[in-house]
PDB file of all heavy atoms in Angstrom:
ATOM      1  N   GLN A   1       0.820  -1.213   0.000  1.00 93.00           N
ATOM      2  CA  GLN A   1       0.000   0.000   0.000  1.00 93.00           C
ATOM      3  C   GLN A   1       0.853   1.262   0.000  1.00 93.00           C
ATOM      4  O   GLN A   1       0.603   2.204  -0.764  1.00 93.00           O
ATOM      5  CB  GLN A   1      -0.928   0.004   1.220  1.00 93.00           C
ATOM      6  CG  GLN A   1      -2.031  -1.034   1.173  1.00 93.00           C
ATOM      7  CD  GLN A   1      -2.910  -0.959   2.406  1.00 93.00           C
ATOM      8  OE1 GLN A   1      -3.175   0.108   2.940  1.00 93.00           O
ATOM      9  NE2 GLN A   1      -3.360  -2.108   2.880  1.00 93.00           N
ATOM     10  N   SER A   2       1.860   1.314   0.850  1.00 94.00           N
ATOM     11  CA  SER A   2       2.672   2.532   0.957  1.00 94.00           C
ATOM     12  C   SER A   2       3.446   2.798  -0.323  1.00 94.00           C
ATOM     13  O   SER A   2       3.618   3.958  -0.723  1.00 94.00           O
ATOM     14  CB  SER A   2       3.616   2.437   2.152  1.00 94.00           C
ATOM     15  OG  SER A   2       4.519   1.350   2.010  1.00 94.00           O
ATOM     16  N   ALA A   3       3.911   1.731  -0.988  1.00 94.00           N
ATOM     17  CA  ALA A   3       4.617   1.916  -2.252  1.00 94.00           C
ATOM     18  C   ALA A   3       3.653   2.390  -3.337  1.00 94.00           C
ATOM     19  O   ALA A   3       3.964   3.305  -4.112  1.00 94.00           O
ATOM     20  CB  ALA A   3       5.293   0.612  -2.662  1.00 94.00           C
ATOM     21  N   ARG A   4       2.474   1.766  -3.401  1.00 93.00           N
ATOM     22  CA  ARG A   4       1.497   2.132  -4.432  1.00 93.00           C
ATOM     23  C   ARG A   4       0.992   3.553  -4.240  1.00 93.00           C
ATOM     24  O   ARG A   4       0.745   4.277  -5.221  1.00 93.00           O
ATOM     25  CB  ARG A   4       0.324   1.145  -4.402  1.00 93.00           C
ATOM     26  CG  ARG A   4      -0.814   1.470  -5.360  1.00 93.00           C
ATOM     27  CD  ARG A   4      -1.751   0.291  -5.537  1.00 93.00           C
ATOM     28  NE  ARG A   4      -2.155  -0.268  -4.259  1.00 93.00           N
ATOM     29  CZ  ARG A   4      -3.158   0.208  -3.508  1.00 93.00           C
ATOM     30  NH1 ARG A   4      -3.843   1.266  -3.933  1.00 93.00           N
ATOM     31  NH2 ARG A   4      -3.487  -0.358  -2.374  1.00 93.00           N
ATOM     32  N   LEU A   5       0.860   3.984  -2.998  1.00 95.00           N
ATOM     33  CA  LEU A   5       0.351   5.324  -2.712  1.00 95.00           C
ATOM     34  C   LEU A   5       1.451   6.380  -2.688  1.00 95.00           C
ATOM     35  O   LEU A   5       1.168   7.567  -2.519  1.00 95.00           O
ATOM     36  CB  LEU A   5      -0.387   5.314  -1.371  1.00 95.00           C
ATOM     37  CG  LEU A   5      -1.630   4.428  -1.311  1.00 95.00           C
ATOM     38  CD1 LEU A   5      -2.158   4.334   0.115  1.00 95.00           C
ATOM     39  CD2 LEU A   5      -2.711   4.941  -2.248  1.00 95.00           C
ATOM     40  N   GLY A   6       2.706   5.962  -2.826  1.00 94.00           N
ATOM     41  CA  GLY A   6       3.814   6.913  -2.920  1.00 94.00           C
ATOM     42  C   GLY A   6       4.205   7.582  -1.623  1.00 94.00           C
ATOM     43  O   GLY A   6       4.695   8.714  -1.638  1.00 94.00           O
ATOM     44  N   VAL A   7       4.032   6.899  -0.476  1.00 96.00           N
ATOM     45  CA  VAL A   7       4.343   7.537   0.807  1.00 96.00           C
ATOM     46  C   VAL A   7       5.380   6.763   1.618  1.00 96.00           C
ATOM     47  O   VAL A   7       5.712   7.165   2.723  1.00 96.00           O
ATOM     48  CB  VAL A   7       3.068   7.708   1.662  1.00 96.00           C
ATOM     49  CG1 VAL A   7       2.090   8.649   0.973  1.00 96.00           C
ATOM     50  CG2 VAL A   7       2.412   6.368   1.967  1.00 96.00           C
ATOM     51  N   ALA A   8       5.915   5.683   1.072  1.00 95.00           N
ATOM     52  CA  ALA A   8       6.830   4.842   1.848  1.00 95.00           C
ATOM     53  C   ALA A   8       8.046   5.616   2.328  1.00 95.00           C
ATOM     54  O   ALA A   8       8.537   5.401   3.446  1.00 95.00           O
ATOM     55  CB  ALA A   8       7.257   3.635   1.013  1.00 95.00           C
ATOM     56  N   ASP A   9       8.551   6.541   1.513  1.00 95.00           N
ATOM     57  CA  ASP A   9       9.788   7.246   1.848  1.00 95.00           C
ATOM     58  C   ASP A   9       9.606   8.351   2.886  1.00 95.00           C
ATOM     59  O   ASP A   9      10.596   8.944   3.325  1.00 95.00           O
ATOM     60  CB  ASP A   9      10.399   7.847   0.580  1.00 95.00           C
ATOM     61  CG  ASP A   9      10.909   6.774  -0.375  1.00 95.00           C
ATOM     62  OD1 ASP A   9      11.138   5.642   0.080  1.00 95.00           O
ATOM     63  OD2 ASP A   9      11.077   7.079  -1.569  1.00 95.00           O
ATOM     64  N   PHE A  10       8.380   8.629   3.264  1.00 96.00           N
ATOM     65  CA  PHE A  10       8.170   9.679   4.266  1.00 96.00           C
ATOM     66  C   PHE A  10       8.506   9.203   5.677  1.00 96.00           C
ATOM     67  O   PHE A  10       8.728  10.027   6.565  1.00 96.00           O
ATOM     68  CB  PHE A  10       6.722  10.167   4.231  1.00 96.00           C
ATOM     69  CG  PHE A  10       6.414  11.100   3.092  1.00 96.00           C
ATOM     70  CD1 PHE A  10       5.843  10.627   1.927  1.00 96.00           C
ATOM     71  CD2 PHE A  10       6.707  12.456   3.184  1.00 96.00           C
ATOM     72  CE1 PHE A  10       5.561  11.477   0.870  1.00 96.00           C
ATOM     73  CE2 PHE A  10       6.430  13.318   2.146  1.00 96.00           C
ATOM     74  CZ  PHE A  10       5.856  12.828   0.980  1.00 96.00           C
ATOM     75  N   PHE A  11       8.535   7.890   5.895  1.00 97.00           N
ATOM     76  CA  PHE A  11       8.683   7.369   7.253  1.00 97.00           C
ATOM     77  C   PHE A  11      10.140   7.016   7.540  1.00 97.00           C
ATOM     78  O   PHE A  11      10.768   6.274   6.792  1.00 97.00           O
ATOM     79  CB  PHE A  11       7.808   6.132   7.452  1.00 97.00           C
ATOM     80  CG  PHE A  11       6.358   6.387   7.176  1.00 97.00           C
ATOM     81  CD1 PHE A  11       5.761   5.929   6.007  1.00 97.00           C
ATOM     82  CD2 PHE A  11       5.585   7.114   8.063  1.00 97.00           C
ATOM     83  CE1 PHE A  11       4.427   6.175   5.743  1.00 97.00           C
ATOM     84  CE2 PHE A  11       4.251   7.380   7.805  1.00 97.00           C
ATOM     85  CZ  PHE A  11       3.670   6.912   6.644  1.00 97.00           C
ATOM     86  N   GLU A  12      10.647   7.561   8.641  1.00 95.00           N
ATOM     87  CA  GLU A  12      11.997   7.212   9.070  1.00 95.00           C
ATOM     88  C   GLU A  12      12.072   5.731   9.438  1.00 95.00           C
ATOM     89  O   GLU A  12      13.065   5.062   9.185  1.00 95.00           O
ATOM     90  CB  GLU A  12      12.399   8.084  10.254  1.00 95.00           C
ATOM     91  CG  GLU A  12      13.821   7.879  10.730  1.00 95.00           C
ATOM     92  CD  GLU A  12      14.226   8.904  11.766  1.00 95.00           C
ATOM     93  OE1 GLU A  12      13.738  10.060  11.716  1.00 95.00           O
ATOM     94  OE2 GLU A  12      15.035   8.548  12.644  1.00 95.00           O
ATOM     95  N   HIS A  13      11.011   5.221  10.028  1.00 97.00           N
ATOM     96  CA  HIS A  13      10.919   3.789  10.341  1.00 97.00           C
ATOM     97  C   HIS A  13       9.447   3.436  10.464  1.00 97.00           C
ATOM     98  O   HIS A  13       8.657   4.211  11.007  1.00 97.00           O
ATOM     99  CB  HIS A  13      11.649   3.465  11.648  1.00 97.00           C
ATOM    100  CG  HIS A  13      11.875   1.994  11.845  1.00 97.00           C
ATOM    101  ND1 HIS A  13      13.103   1.398  11.626  1.00 97.00           N
ATOM    102  CD2 HIS A  13      11.045   0.996  12.200  1.00 97.00           C
ATOM    103  CE1 HIS A  13      13.006   0.100  11.854  1.00 97.00           C
ATOM    104  NE2 HIS A  13      11.765  -0.166  12.210  1.00 97.00           N
ATOM    105  N   ALA A  14       9.074   2.272   9.947  1.00 97.00           N
ATOM    106  CA  ALA A  14       7.691   1.800  10.033  1.00 97.00           C
ATOM    107  C   ALA A  14       7.633   0.578  10.937  1.00 97.00           C
ATOM    108  O   ALA A  14       8.248  -0.446  10.635  1.00 97.00           O
ATOM    109  CB  ALA A  14       7.158   1.465   8.647  1.00 97.00           C
ATOM    110  N   TYR A  15       6.904   0.707  12.027  1.00 97.00           N
ATOM    111  CA  TYR A  15       6.680  -0.417  12.938  1.00 97.00           C
ATOM    112  C   TYR A  15       5.287  -0.961  12.638  1.00 97.00           C
ATOM    113  O   TYR A  15       4.281  -0.324  12.968  1.00 97.00           O
ATOM    114  CB  TYR A  15       6.783   0.050  14.395  1.00 97.00           C
ATOM    115  CG  TYR A  15       8.163   0.531  14.771  1.00 97.00           C
ATOM    116  CD1 TYR A  15       8.541   1.854  14.572  1.00 97.00           C
ATOM    117  CD2 TYR A  15       9.101  -0.343  15.319  1.00 97.00           C
ATOM    118  CE1 TYR A  15       9.808   2.296  14.905  1.00 97.00           C
ATOM    119  CE2 TYR A  15      10.370   0.095  15.664  1.00 97.00           C
ATOM    120  CZ  TYR A  15      10.718   1.411  15.455  1.00 97.00           C
ATOM    121  OH  TYR A  15      11.979   1.849  15.787  1.00 97.00           O
ATOM    122  N   VAL A  16       5.228  -2.112  11.994  1.00 97.00           N
ATOM    123  CA  VAL A  16       3.952  -2.673  11.562  1.00 97.00           C
ATOM    124  C   VAL A  16       3.762  -4.060  12.161  1.00 97.00           C
ATOM    125  O   VAL A  16       4.704  -4.668  12.689  1.00 97.00           O
ATOM    126  CB  VAL A  16       3.867  -2.720  10.022  1.00 97.00           C
ATOM    127  CG1 VAL A  16       3.881  -1.316   9.443  1.00 97.00           C
ATOM    128  CG2 VAL A  16       5.021  -3.529   9.434  1.00 97.00           C
ATOM    129  N   GLY A  17       2.521  -4.533  12.101  1.00 95.00           N
ATOM    130  CA  GLY A  17       2.200  -5.810  12.723  1.00 95.00           C
ATOM    131  C   GLY A  17       2.259  -5.744  14.234  1.00 95.00           C
ATOM    132  O   GLY A  17       2.474  -6.761  14.902  1.00 95.00           O
ATOM    133  N   VAL A  18       2.055  -4.552  14.787  1.00 95.00           N
ATOM    134  CA  VAL A  18       2.196  -4.337  16.235  1.00 95.00           C
ATOM    135  C   VAL A  18       0.823  -4.414  16.893  1.00 95.00           C
ATOM    136  O   VAL A  18      -0.079  -3.650  16.550  1.00 95.00           O
ATOM    137  CB  VAL A  18       2.841  -2.967  16.531  1.00 95.00           C
ATOM    138  CG1 VAL A  18       2.909  -2.733  18.038  1.00 95.00           C
ATOM    139  CG2 VAL A  18       4.226  -2.888  15.904  1.00 95.00           C
ATOM    140  N   MET A  19       0.680  -5.305  17.842  1.00 89.00           N
ATOM    141  CA  MET A  19      -0.572  -5.427  18.572  1.00 89.00           C
ATOM    142  C   MET A  19      -0.564  -4.622  19.861  1.00 89.00           C
ATOM    143  O   MET A  19      -1.575  -4.058  20.267  1.00 89.00           O
ATOM    144  CB  MET A  19      -0.846  -6.904  18.872  1.00 89.00           C
ATOM    145  CG  MET A  19      -1.074  -7.768  17.628  1.00 89.00           C
ATOM    146  SD  MET A  19      -2.522  -7.222  16.642  1.00 89.00           S
ATOM    147  CE  MET A  19      -1.727  -6.401  15.244  1.00 89.00           C
ATOM    148  N   ASP A  20       0.576  -4.555  20.541  1.00 92.00           N
ATOM    149  CA  ASP A  20       0.687  -3.821  21.804  1.00 92.00           C
ATOM    150  C   ASP A  20       1.380  -2.484  21.543  1.00 92.00           C
ATOM    151  O   ASP A  20       2.603  -2.369  21.633  1.00 92.00           O
ATOM    152  CB  ASP A  20       1.464  -4.641  22.835  1.00 92.00           C
ATOM    153  CG  ASP A  20       1.498  -3.958  24.215  1.00 92.00           C
ATOM    154  OD1 ASP A  20       0.950  -2.844  24.345  1.00 92.00           O
ATOM    155  OD2 ASP A  20       2.068  -4.556  25.139  1.00 92.00           O
ATOM    156  N   LYS A  21       0.596  -1.476  21.196  1.00 95.00           N
ATOM    157  CA  LYS A  21       1.171  -0.179  20.853  1.00 95.00           C
ATOM    158  C   LYS A  21       1.728   0.534  22.083  1.00 95.00           C
ATOM    159  O   LYS A  21       2.654   1.348  21.962  1.00 95.00           O
ATOM    160  CB  LYS A  21       0.127   0.693  20.158  1.00 95.00           C
ATOM    161  CG  LYS A  21      -0.282   0.155  18.792  1.00 95.00           C
ATOM    162  CD  LYS A  21      -1.309   1.044  18.129  1.00 95.00           C
ATOM    163  CE  LYS A  21      -1.732   0.481  16.780  1.00 95.00           C
ATOM    164  NZ  LYS A  21      -2.761   1.317  16.119  1.00 95.00           N
ATOM    165  N   ARG A  22       1.198   0.239  23.250  1.00 92.00           N
ATOM    166  CA  ARG A  22       1.704   0.882  24.463  1.00 92.00           C
ATOM    167  C   ARG A  22       3.198   0.590  24.638  1.00 92.00           C
ATOM    168  O   ARG A  22       4.012   1.499  24.796  1.00 92.00           O
ATOM    169  CB  ARG A  22       0.931   0.393  25.691  1.00 92.00           C
ATOM    170  CG  ARG A  22      -0.509   0.835  25.761  1.00 92.00           C
ATOM    171  CD  ARG A  22      -1.174   0.205  26.977  1.00 92.00           C
ATOM    172  NE  ARG A  22      -2.503   0.723  27.241  1.00 92.00           N
ATOM    173  CZ  ARG A  22      -3.606   0.232  26.705  1.00 92.00           C
ATOM    174  NH1 ARG A  22      -3.527  -0.793  25.866  1.00 92.00           N
ATOM    175  NH2 ARG A  22      -4.789   0.756  26.984  1.00 92.00           N
ATOM    176  N   ALA A  23       3.543  -0.690  24.625  1.00 94.00           N
ATOM    177  CA  ALA A  23       4.934  -1.080  24.831  1.00 94.00           C
ATOM    178  C   ALA A  23       5.816  -0.605  23.686  1.00 94.00           C
ATOM    179  O   ALA A  23       6.945  -0.148  23.905  1.00 94.00           O
ATOM    180  CB  ALA A  23       5.027  -2.598  24.991  1.00 94.00           C
ATOM    181  N   GLN A  24       5.306  -0.686  22.462  1.00 96.00           N
ATOM    182  CA  GLN A  24       6.131  -0.324  21.310  1.00 96.00           C
ATOM    183  C   GLN A  24       6.405   1.175  21.275  1.00 96.00           C
ATOM    184  O   GLN A  24       7.495   1.597  20.865  1.00 96.00           O
ATOM    185  CB  GLN A  24       5.443  -0.754  20.025  1.00 96.00           C
ATOM    186  CG  GLN A  24       6.315  -0.588  18.782  1.00 96.00           C
ATOM    187  CD  GLN A  24       7.564  -1.434  18.836  1.00 96.00           C
ATOM    188  OE1 GLN A  24       7.499  -2.639  19.037  1.00 96.00           O
ATOM    189  NE2 GLN A  24       8.724  -0.811  18.696  1.00 96.00           N
ATOM    190  N   LEU A  25       5.467   2.003  21.685  1.00 97.00           N
ATOM    191  CA  LEU A  25       5.701   3.439  21.718  1.00 97.00           C
ATOM    192  C   LEU A  25       6.888   3.778  22.613  1.00 97.00           C
ATOM    193  O   LEU A  25       7.744   4.591  22.255  1.00 97.00           O
ATOM    194  CB  LEU A  25       4.450   4.172  22.225  1.00 97.00           C
ATOM    195  CG  LEU A  25       3.480   4.710  21.178  1.00 97.00           C
ATOM    196  CD1 LEU A  25       2.277   5.348  21.859  1.00 97.00           C
ATOM    197  CD2 LEU A  25       4.164   5.706  20.262  1.00 97.00           C
ATOM    198  N   THR A  26       6.940   3.153  23.768  1.00 95.00           N
ATOM    199  CA  THR A  26       8.052   3.401  24.685  1.00 95.00           C
ATOM    200  C   THR A  26       9.367   2.977  24.060  1.00 95.00           C
ATOM    201  O   THR A  26      10.385   3.671  24.181  1.00 95.00           O
ATOM    202  CB  THR A  26       7.825   2.644  26.007  1.00 95.00           C
ATOM    203  OG1 THR A  26       6.589   3.089  26.588  1.00 95.00           O
ATOM    204  CG2 THR A  26       8.953   2.903  26.980  1.00 95.00           C
ATOM    205  N   ARG A  27       9.365   1.852  23.350  1.00 96.00           N
ATOM    206  CA  ARG A  27      10.589   1.390  22.691  1.00 96.00           C
ATOM    207  C   ARG A  27      11.003   2.326  21.556  1.00 96.00           C
ATOM    208  O   ARG A  27      12.195   2.550  21.326  1.00 96.00           O
ATOM    209  CB  ARG A  27      10.387  -0.034  22.171  1.00 96.00           C
ATOM    210  CG  ARG A  27      10.334  -1.083  23.278  1.00 96.00           C
ATOM    211  CD  ARG A  27      10.452  -2.492  22.722  1.00 96.00           C
ATOM    212  NE  ARG A  27       9.234  -2.911  22.053  1.00 96.00           N
ATOM    213  CZ  ARG A  27       8.251  -3.603  22.638  1.00 96.00           C
ATOM    214  NH1 ARG A  27       8.348  -3.934  23.922  1.00 96.00           N
ATOM    215  NH2 ARG A  27       7.174  -3.963  21.962  1.00 96.00           N
ATOM    216  N   ILE A  28      10.034   2.890  20.843  1.00 97.00           N
ATOM    217  CA  ILE A  28      10.352   3.831  19.766  1.00 97.00           C
ATOM    218  C   ILE A  28      11.034   5.072  20.327  1.00 97.00           C
ATOM    219  O   ILE A  28      12.026   5.566  19.776  1.00 97.00           O
ATOM    220  CB  ILE A  28       9.073   4.212  18.991  1.00 97.00           C
ATOM    221  CG1 ILE A  28       8.553   3.015  18.204  1.00 97.00           C
ATOM    222  CG2 ILE A  28       9.342   5.379  18.040  1.00 97.00           C
ATOM    223  CD1 ILE A  28       7.192   3.242  17.562  1.00 97.00           C
ATOM    224  N   LEU A  29      10.518   5.588  21.426  1.00 96.00           N
ATOM    225  CA  LEU A  29      11.128   6.763  22.041  1.00 96.00           C
ATOM    226  C   LEU A  29      12.581   6.496  22.386  1.00 96.00           C
ATOM    227  O   LEU A  29      13.466   7.334  22.128  1.00 96.00           O
ATOM    228  CB  LEU A  29      10.359   7.160  23.304  1.00 96.00           C
ATOM    229  CG  LEU A  29       8.915   7.639  23.112  1.00 96.00           C
ATOM    230  CD1 LEU A  29       8.251   7.865  24.462  1.00 96.00           C
ATOM    231  CD2 LEU A  29       8.864   8.918  22.282  1.00 96.00           C
ATOM    232  N   ALA A  30      12.840   5.342  22.966  1.00 94.00           N
ATOM    233  CA  ALA A  30      14.205   5.008  23.373  1.00 94.00           C
ATOM    234  C   ALA A  30      15.104   4.751  22.170  1.00 94.00           C
ATOM    235  O   ALA A  30      16.242   5.217  22.117  1.00 94.00           O
ATOM    236  CB  ALA A  30      14.187   3.793  24.295  1.00 94.00           C
ATOM    237  N   ALA A  31      14.592   4.021  21.181  1.00 94.00           N
ATOM    238  CA  ALA A  31      15.424   3.637  20.041  1.00 94.00           C
ATOM    239  C   ALA A  31      15.850   4.829  19.201  1.00 94.00           C
ATOM    240  O   ALA A  31      16.949   4.835  18.628  1.00 94.00           O
ATOM    241  CB  ALA A  31      14.666   2.632  19.172  1.00 94.00           C
ATOM    242  N   HIS A  32      14.988   5.853  19.123  1.00 93.00           N
ATOM    243  CA  HIS A  32      15.277   6.997  18.257  1.00 93.00           C
ATOM    244  C   HIS A  32      15.565   8.272  19.047  1.00 93.00           C
ATOM    245  O   HIS A  32      15.647   9.358  18.462  1.00 93.00           O
ATOM    246  CB  HIS A  32      14.109   7.227  17.297  1.00 93.00           C
ATOM    247  CG  HIS A  32      13.860   6.070  16.387  1.00 93.00           C
ATOM    248  ND1 HIS A  32      14.590   5.833  15.240  1.00 93.00           N
ATOM    249  CD2 HIS A  32      12.977   5.032  16.478  1.00 93.00           C
ATOM    250  CE1 HIS A  32      14.156   4.729  14.652  1.00 93.00           C
ATOM    251  NE2 HIS A  32      13.177   4.229  15.376  1.00 93.00           N
ATOM    252  N   ASP A  33      15.734   8.126  20.360  1.00 89.00           N
ATOM    253  CA  ASP A  33      16.103   9.255  21.211  1.00 89.00           C
ATOM    254  C   ASP A  33      15.118  10.419  21.055  1.00 89.00           C
ATOM    255  O   ASP A  33      15.500  11.566  20.853  1.00 89.00           O
ATOM    256  CB  ASP A  33      17.524   9.713  20.883  1.00 89.00           C
ATOM    257  CG  ASP A  33      18.128  10.577  21.986  1.00 89.00           C
ATOM    258  OD1 ASP A  33      17.685  10.451  23.142  1.00 89.00           O
ATOM    259  OD2 ASP A  33      19.037  11.369  21.689  1.00 89.00           O
ATOM    260  N   LEU A  34      13.826  10.090  21.137  1.00 91.00           N
ATOM    261  CA  LEU A  34      12.776  11.099  20.997  1.00 91.00           C
ATOM    262  C   LEU A  34      12.352  11.600  22.365  1.00 91.00           C
ATOM    263  O   LEU A  34      12.070  10.805  23.268  1.00 91.00           O
ATOM    264  CB  LEU A  34      11.563  10.509  20.269  1.00 91.00           C
ATOM    265  CG  LEU A  34      11.807   9.800  18.934  1.00 91.00           C
ATOM    266  CD1 LEU A  34      10.491   9.309  18.348  1.00 91.00           C
ATOM    267  CD2 LEU A  34      12.533  10.703  17.955  1.00 91.00           C
ATOM    268  N   ALA A  35      12.296  12.898  22.512  1.00 87.00           N
ATOM    269  CA  ALA A  35      11.801  13.486  23.762  1.00 87.00           C
ATOM    270  C   ALA A  35      10.277  13.349  23.791  1.00 87.00           C
ATOM    271  O   ALA A  35       9.601  13.788  22.857  1.00 87.00           O
ATOM    272  CB  ALA A  35      12.198  14.948  23.855  1.00 87.00           C
ATOM    273  N   PRO A  36       9.700  12.739  24.838  1.00 90.00           N
ATOM    274  CA  PRO A  36       8.239  12.551  24.875  1.00 90.00           C
ATOM    275  C   PRO A  36       7.469  13.849  24.724  1.00 90.00           C
ATOM    276  O   PRO A  36       6.419  13.875  24.062  1.00 90.00           O
ATOM    277  CB  PRO A  36       8.004  11.916  26.257  1.00 90.00           C
ATOM    278  CG  PRO A  36       9.300  11.233  26.580  1.00 90.00           C
ATOM    279  CD  PRO A  36      10.370  12.108  25.991  1.00 90.00           C
ATOM    280  N   GLU A  37       7.979  14.925  25.331  1.00 86.00           N
ATOM    281  CA  GLU A  37       7.262  16.196  25.269  1.00 86.00           C
ATOM    282  C   GLU A  37       7.298  16.818  23.880  1.00 86.00           C
ATOM    283  O   GLU A  37       6.563  17.779  23.601  1.00 86.00           O
ATOM    284  CB  GLU A  37       7.828  17.182  26.292  1.00 86.00           C
ATOM    285  CG  GLU A  37       9.247  17.657  26.037  1.00 86.00           C
ATOM    286  CD  GLU A  37      10.309  16.702  26.579  1.00 86.00           C
ATOM    287  OE1 GLU A  37       9.951  15.583  26.994  1.00 86.00           O
ATOM    288  OE2 GLU A  37      11.487  17.105  26.586  1.00 86.00           O
ATOM    289  N   GLU A  38       8.123  16.296  22.967  1.00 87.00           N
ATOM    290  CA  GLU A  38       8.203  16.798  21.595  1.00 87.00           C
ATOM    291  C   GLU A  38       7.612  15.810  20.595  1.00 87.00           C
ATOM    292  O   GLU A  38       7.807  15.951  19.391  1.00 87.00           O
ATOM    293  CB  GLU A  38       9.662  17.089  21.227  1.00 87.00           C
ATOM    294  CG  GLU A  38      10.307  18.170  22.086  1.00 87.00           C
ATOM    295  CD  GLU A  38      11.753  18.427  21.704  1.00 87.00           C
ATOM    296  OE1 GLU A  38      12.321  17.612  20.930  1.00 87.00           O
ATOM    297  OE2 GLU A  38      12.315  19.424  22.167  1.00 87.00           O
ATOM    298  N   THR A  39       6.907  14.804  21.108  1.00 95.00           N
ATOM    299  CA  THR A  39       6.440  13.702  20.266  1.00 95.00           C
ATOM    300  C   THR A  39       4.936  13.528  20.404  1.00 95.00           C
ATOM    301  O   THR A  39       4.388  13.659  21.496  1.00 95.00           O
ATOM    302  CB  THR A  39       7.149  12.398  20.671  1.00 95.00           C
ATOM    303  OG1 THR A  39       8.571  12.588  20.602  1.00 95.00           O
ATOM    304  CG2 THR A  39       6.751  11.245  19.763  1.00 95.00           C
TER     305      THR A  39
END
């Protein structure tokens, strides 16, 4: 879908197939050094 719609390159990283978004959000912040207050 992302390739067909021409938006794949907009994402620095795509986390897909994720059922527990709570846990994954915390991991994304840590992995990419994102400040929560700026996210």
Side-chain angles (χ1 to χ4, degrees):
Q1 291 180 36
S2 61
R4 176 165 49 84
L5 297 172
V7 296
D9 292 340
F10 283 97
F11 303 105
E12 184 172 328
H13 194 103
Y15 295 88
V16 295
V18 177
M19 295 299 105
D20 185 358
K21 293 180 181 179
R22 292 176 171 88
Q24 188 62 54
L25 265 178
T26 301
R27 288 193 286 266
I28 291 172
L29 295 175
H32 298 279
D33 198 24
L34 308 181
E37 67 276 10
E38 298 180 348
T39 304

